[in-house]
């Protein structure tokens, strides 16, 4: 790997900025590279590499054109320092299209070389929530899929928003994770500012306004539930930004299976055990009847005074024990000759590395 | 839909929200309060319609504080129209604004596509196409409040029977000088019409 471009000055950024973008190009024939450096107008290898001085975090390339006879392996490493954290990140205008051109170019280049960009990991999912006498019960399965493969057999889909509010997320795993974390952070600042415990309606407003701003491109379908001074509340929030306030909601690919269970057995003012059993059964319906959902049932019971985060509540799909052994007995394969060679190994250096497990 | 009468308006809607072929909310109240004397009926994309209604709710609140009193229905309709027109390429939502104010009494405004047009009655949404004939023939000038209730209930019921994306219950709000009255007509109480053998 050579850092050719760095030395030629294509990718070097002024030292004052806090970011450094290192582009490493592998096995690039000199011909095409010189051509590029000689005539910057014709198919330059790297069009522009810029920093965003405002955030001081990201170096973006606006176009990378590889020549067909060079095998270009482009690896973008960004080293940067975080700029000062802005309090309560406010929105600034609509969706940011800055990276779209670059992404489209990268994708076409990669597929030309036969590589493929990793697909967004979706959570398939069955999530649901129910309002009962003293509060809210939220439930979720634990399978995360990447295409037709299970990427994570035990992922946590019930996210923390505030001490009295939790949120289940379906759709693109990264989107739900980041969205809930962002709103959780903003809500904490808001709560410090008001001096009160946050309300579920506030979290709902923040989430819907952010998702609407991104016009559905953030694939996060959420079930938001919590208990505040006005009582227990449950909302379902769709990726485009619409919300519904209901006594029972389901979302995700297994939502129809779970809703069938709810429509049959939901009653107003249930007891806690009844509500937990109902949610468990609804998620189980999703797990067993939907391919995108599976593994265990996680529950979160939220009441005025306590939270019960039950992970797992029900190990519906415990891995079994093999009933037979498939090992071959010694002597099954006939041995013709046998020779033993001693390898002389000397211990030269012993290093102990401590792992940061905090 | 919404219809005006002497002294106020009656505004009504169905309650079905669908995502593809699945009904995600069968009891959604699509009548959104813009102010104490102005309501709007939402149709089209749920996210777009809710977002517009929320913005206008906020703007109207400020406006009425500035003006020191209840807003004019035309002012509310204007705000909805401004947003609908400015973002007409990006959004798919139609809000019918209806209410009562002191200067012109009960008023109904349609804002489809970003226009502002006052009508004696207005229908909107996917189910409205099935009832144009009915509302044109059944509407009479100078109806009373109860006549309007029956008119709205019948029209919505007919639309809900024919349109796949409409259904559930009927929410109705009557806005007069005295204030607002809510009414919900549940599924089994809907007016019955010819339904092939039933």
């Amino acid at each position: 790997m050579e850092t050719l471009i760095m030395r030629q000055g294509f990718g070097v950024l002024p030292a004052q900025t806090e970011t450094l973008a290192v582009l490493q190009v592998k096995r690039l024939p000199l011909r095409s590279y010189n051509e590029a450096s000689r005539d910057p107008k014709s198919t330059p290898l790297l069009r522009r590499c810029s920093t965003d001085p405002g955030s001081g975090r990201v170096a973006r390339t606006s176009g990378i054109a590889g020549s067909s006879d060079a095998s270009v392996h482009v690896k973008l490493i960004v080293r940067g320092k975080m700029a000062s954290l802005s309090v309560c990140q406010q929105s600034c205008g609509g969706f940011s299209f800055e990276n779209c051109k670059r992404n489209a170019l990268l994708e076409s280049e990669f597929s030309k070389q036969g590589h493929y960009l990793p697909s967004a990991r979706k959570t398939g999912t069955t999530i649901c929530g129910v309002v009962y006498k003293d509060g809210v019960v939220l439930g979720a399965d634990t399978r995360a899929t990447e295409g037709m493969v299970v990427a994570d057999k035990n992922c946590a889909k019930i996210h923390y928003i505030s001490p009295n509010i939790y949120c289940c997320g379906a759709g693109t795993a990264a989107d739900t994770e980041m969205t809930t974390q962002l709103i959780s952070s903003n809500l904490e600042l808001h709560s410090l500012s008001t001096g009160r415990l946050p309300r579920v309606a506030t979290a709902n407003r923040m989430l819907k306004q952010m998702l609407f701003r991104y016009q559905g491109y953030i694939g996060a379908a959420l079930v938001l539930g919590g208990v505040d001074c006005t009582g227990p509340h449950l909302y379902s929030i769709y990726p485009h930004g619409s919300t519904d306030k209901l006594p029972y909601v389901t979302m995700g690919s297994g939502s129809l299976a779970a809703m069938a269970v709810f429509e049959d057995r939901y009653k107003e003012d249930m007891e806690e055990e009844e509500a937990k059993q109902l949610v468990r059964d609804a998620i189980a319906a999703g797990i067993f009847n939907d391919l995108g959902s599976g593994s265990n049932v996680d529950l979160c019971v939220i009441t005025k005074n306590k939270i019960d985060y039950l992970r797992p509540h029900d190990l519906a799909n415990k891995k079994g024990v093999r009933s037979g052994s498939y090992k071959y007995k010694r002597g099954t394969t006939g041995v013709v000759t046998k020779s033993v060679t001693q390898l002389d190994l000397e211990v030269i250096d012993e290093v102990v590395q401590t792992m940061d497990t905090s | 839909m919404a219809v005006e009468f002497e002294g106020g308006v009656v505004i009504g809607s169905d309650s079905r929200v669908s995502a593809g072929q699945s009904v995600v909310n069968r009891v959604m109240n699509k009548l959104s309060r813009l102010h104490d004397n102005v309501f709007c009926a939402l149709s089209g994309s749920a996210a777009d319609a809710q977002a517009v209604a929320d913005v206008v709710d906020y703007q109207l609140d400020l406006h009425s504080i500035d003006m020191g009193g209840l807003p004019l229905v035309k002012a509310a309709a204007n705000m909805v129209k401004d947003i609908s027109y400015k973002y007409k390429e990006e959004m798919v939502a139609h809000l019918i604004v209806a209410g009562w104010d002191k200067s012109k009494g009960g008023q109904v405004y349609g804002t489809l596509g970003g226009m502002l047009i006052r009508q004696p009655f207005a229908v909107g949404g996917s189910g409205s196409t099935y009832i144009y004939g009915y509302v044109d023939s059944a509407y009479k000038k100078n109806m009373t409040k109860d006549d309007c209730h029956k008119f709205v209930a019948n029209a919505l019921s007919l639309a809900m029977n024919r349109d796949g994306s409409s259904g559930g219950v009927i929410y109705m709000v009557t806005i007069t000088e005295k204030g607002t009255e809510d009414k919900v007509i549940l599924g089994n109480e809907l007016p019955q019409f010819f339904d092939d053998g039933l």
Side-chain angles (χ1 to χ4, degrees):
Chain A
M1 295 268 205
E2 297 174 292
T3 53
L4 290 166
I5 299 178
M6 280 293 297
R7 288 189 214 121
Q8 290 294 326
F10 268 72
V12 173
L13 304 161
Q16 302 87 281
T17 63
E18 292 171 350
T19 56
L20 198 66
V22 177
L23 284 141
Q24 300 179 315
V25 178
K26 185 167 80 172
R27 281 186 280 125
L28 182 66
L30 212 54
R31 179 179 64 86
S32 54
Y33 182 73
N34 280 342
E35 271 173 12
S37 62
R38 228 178 284 133
D39 184 6
K41 282 202 201 92
S42 70
T43 61
L45 182 67
L46 180 63
R47 290 217 179 88
R48 183 165 63 94
C49 191
S50 64
T51 55
D52 180 1
S55 68
R57 267 180 292 139
V58 178
R60 297 187 299 275
T61 62
S62 75
I64 298 177
S67 48
S68 51
D69 52 354
S71 79
V72 177
H73 175 85
V74 180
K75 197 161 112 177
L76 188 74
I77 305 163
V78 178
R79 267 184 268 137
K81 274 192 272 178
M82 280 278 262
S84 60
L85 282 161
S86 56
V87 169
C88 211
Q89 283 188 316
Q90 286 305 325
S91 61
C92 40
F95 183 69
S96 166
F97 290 93
E98 279 162 348
N99 286 334
C100 288
K101 195 166 170 195
R102 175 207 74 167
N103 291 344
L105 211 54
L106 274 174
E107 202 171 328
S108 65
E109 284 310 310
F110 268 53
S111 52
K112 250 191 256 170
Q113 310 300 332
H115 309 293
Y116 61 91
L117 288 170
S119 61
R121 192 174 74 160
K122 300 193 103 238
T123 48
T125 309
T126 309
I127 50 173
C128 66
V130 98
V131 174
Y132 72 103
K133 199 169 78 170
D134 308 317
V136 188
V137 180
L138 299 175
D141 73 305
T142 59
R143 174 183 286 184
T145 51
E146 200 166 323
M148 278 281 116
V149 179
V150 175
D152 190 347
K153 287 184 271 195
N154 197 202
C155 77
K157 299 186 192 178
I158 307 185
H159 309 286
Y160 167 89
I161 300 274
S162 78
N164 58 327
I165 303 172
Y166 277 73
C167 183
C168 310
T172 310
D175 287 346
T176 58
E177 190 74 41
M178 289 293 118
T179 304
T180 48
Q181 281 178 1
L182 182 66
I183 263 64
S184 167
S185 163
N186 285 348
L187 204 60
E188 186 169 345
L189 292 167
H190 184 265
S191 150
L192 287 167
S193 173
T194 58
R196 295 170 163 84
L197 204 62
R199 298 191 188 188
V200 192
T202 316
N204 178 52
R205 233 356 128 96
M206 290 179 167
L207 284 163
K208 83 185 302 190
Q209 284 179 348
M210 182 191 152
L211 291 173
F212 182 75
R213 198 175 351 124
Y214 284 91
Q215 286 292 295
Y217 284 97
I218 292 187
L222 310 164
V223 166
L224 177 76
V227 180
D228 56 35
C229 56
T230 48
H233 301 285
L234 186 65
Y235 291 87
S236 66
I237 306 168
Y238 290 83
H240 283 264
S242 61
T243 63
D244 293 311
K245 185 176 189 312
L246 292 164
Y248 54 95
V249 292
T250 64
M251 294 281 252
S253 55
S255 64
L256 261 56
M259 186 50 95
V261 176
F262 275 162
E263 288 286 31
D264 186 32
R265 285 161 42 188
Y266 171 80
K267 289 193 310 282
E268 255 185 82
D269 291 330
M270 287 184 287
E271 294 298 329
E272 182 173 323
E273 278 315 308
E274 212 182 334
K276 277 164 73 175
Q277 185 63 30
L278 180 62
V279 172
R280 184 254 152 222
D281 287 342
I283 300 290
I287 286 173
F288 294 117
N289 299 89
D290 174 44
L291 296 177
S293 314
S295 299
N296 318 318
V297 180
D298 285 352
L299 280 195
C300 184
V301 184
I302 310 172
T303 50
K304 202 163 159 63
N305 306 312
K306 69 171 168 70
I307 309 277
D308 273 331
Y309 192 86
L310 306 158
R311 177 174 151 80
H313 170 67
D314 191 341
L315 286 163
N317 289 289
K318 231 168 136 185
K319 194 167 180 177
V321 178
R322 287 221 179 97
S323 49
S325 171
Y326 296 95
K327 282 208 161 97
Y328 288 100
K329 277 206 311 274
R330 252 181 201 286
T332 312
T333 311
V335 178
V336 180
T337 49
K338 182 169 147 178
S339 74
V340 179
T341 319
Q342 286 281 16
L343 284 172
D344 256 323
L345 294 172
E346 250 181 70
V347 177
I348 298 172
D349 188 25
E350 200 175 301
V351 171
V352 176
Q353 279 188 333
T354 50
M355 224 167 63
D356 182 16
T357 51
S358 54
Chain B
M1 72 180 276
V3 66
E4 82 177 62
F5 62 92
E6 177 79 48
V9 290
V10 175
I11 185 168
S13 78
D14 75 309
S15 67
R16 179 173 289 183
V17 178
S18 45
Q21 302 296 20
S22 175
V23 174
V24 292
N25 189 351
R26 55 183 163 86
V27 287
M28 167 87 170
N29 191 340
K30 301 181 190 176
L31 304 176
S32 195
R33 189 206 91 115
L34 296 179
H35 204 83
D36 294 334
N37 60 324
V38 185
F39 272 66
C40 72
L42 314 171
S43 66
S45 156
D48 292 344
Q50 282 182 12
V52 174
D54 286 345
V55 168
V56 176
D57 183 341
Y58 164 77
Q59 289 176 344
L60 208 55
D61 210 10
L62 288 180
H63 174 75
S64 71
I65 291 172
D66 277 340
M67 304 301 276
L70 290 173
L72 292 177
V73 186
K74 193 162 188 186
N78 245 302
M79 291 180 182
V80 172
K81 176 232 19 169
D82 281 340
I83 300 174
S84 302
Y85 183 68
K86 185 167 180 197
Y87 296 104
K88 76 181 287 180
E89 306 300 330
E90 290 94 348
M91 288 206 309
V92 181
H94 175 212
L95 278 72
I96 297 177
V97 182
W100 178 94
D101 63 34
K102 220 162 68 162
S103 68
K104 291 204 182 96
Q107 298 147 73
V108 172
Y109 291 91
T111 61
L112 186 64
M115 70 158 106
L116 179 66
I117 182 156
R118 183 177 173 190
Q119 299 167 291
F121 65 89
V123 292
S126 59
S128 65
T129 53
Y130 301 97
I131 53 170
Y132 275 114
Y134 174 76
V135 294
D136 283 343
S137 63
Y139 175 76
K140 286 182 244 339
K141 278 204 223 161
N142 302 323
M143 287 200 288
T144 63
K145 185 165 74 164
D146 291 319
D147 286 339
C148 286
H149 283 158
K150 282 202 202 69
F151 178 53
V152 169
N154 286 344
L156 288 176
S157 179
L158 285 165
M160 279 151 69
N161 274 335
R162 284 293 180 181
D163 179 31
S165 320
S166 308
V169 304
I170 294 181
Y171 288 103
M172 276 206 295
V173 173
T174 314
I175 310 167
T176 55
E177 184 175 359
K178 295 190 204 70
T180 54
E181 280 164 36
D182 303 318
K183 195 163 151 187
V184 180
I185 304 178
L186 297 176
N188 56 342
E189 298 161 11
L190 290 172
Q192 295 292 324
F193 294 94
F194 166 77
D195 212 339
D196 209 352
L198 278 118

